[in-house]
Amino acid sequence: MIAANTAFWVGLHFGTAFAFTSVPRRYRERLFAACRAFFRVSQAEMRFYRKIRLPEWKDRLPQYNRDFDKRGLPAEVTEGYLLEYRFITCQAEAVHYLIAALGYLSLLFCLACERPARNLPLFFGIATALGLCNFPFAMVQRYNRCRLDAVLARLRRTNGRA
C-alpha cells in the first residue's frame, strides 16, 4: 500500500506537469495567459510574501524546469525571454494547484484497505499535507512573475515601448 501510494504521488506530480505541457501551445497560451485575473499578483500579496520572507527561502525549493532557472536572469534579457518565463510561471502555478487538488484522489487507496473508514483520516491527512506542500511552489511562481513584470516594464520603457 505504501509503495502504491508513493507511486501515485510521484506519478501525480510528474504526470500532471507532463499532461499540461503536452497540450498544444495555442491552448496553453490562452489558458495560462498572465493577463487573466487568476494570475495577477497584487501589491498586498507581494507584501505578504516579503513578510513571510519568501525571497530568503524560495531558492531552496527544488526546481524541475531546466529552461528557466529561478535563481536569476541571464546576462542578455530580451522581451521574448521574459514573456516566455512569465508564461511558464503561470503554467507552473496552475500545475501545483491542480496537483494539490488531485491529491485527494489518493483517498481511493482507502478502498483497498481492510477497514477503509478507519484509514480515511490517515489518507486525508497525507493528501492534505502533500497538497499544502505545493502551495509554497505556487507562491514562488507568483512572486517571480510579479518581479518579471517589473523587469519587462522597465525593458519596454528603455526600448521606448511603454
Side-chain angles (χ1 to χ4, degrees), residues 83-137:
L83 291 171
E84 181 67 13
Y85 199 161
R86 186 173 68 173
F87 167 75
I88 294 297
T89 65
C90 293
Q91 182 174 269
E93 177 186 347
V95 165
H96 284 289
Y97 289 141
L98 187 60
I99 290 169
L102 290 177
Y104 287 96
L105 291 174
S106 69
L107 297 178
L108 296 174
F109 283 98
C110 283
L111 299 176
C113 294
E114 212 171 281
R115 293 190 212 141
R118 191 173 123 208
N119 289 304
L120 186 61
L122 172 66
F123 281 86
F124 185 82
I126 291 169
T128 300
L130 290 173
L132 288 173
C133 287
N134 279 281
F135 282 91
F137 292 93

Side-chain angles (χ1 to χ4, degrees), residues 131-151:
L132 288 173
C133 287
N134 279 281
F135 282 91
F137 292 93
M139 290 189 306
V140 168
Q141 301 305 322
R142 295 180 68 76
Y143 177 80
N144 285 342
R145 186 168 49 257
C146 188
R147 294 177 63 222
L148 287 168
D149 285 342
V151 173

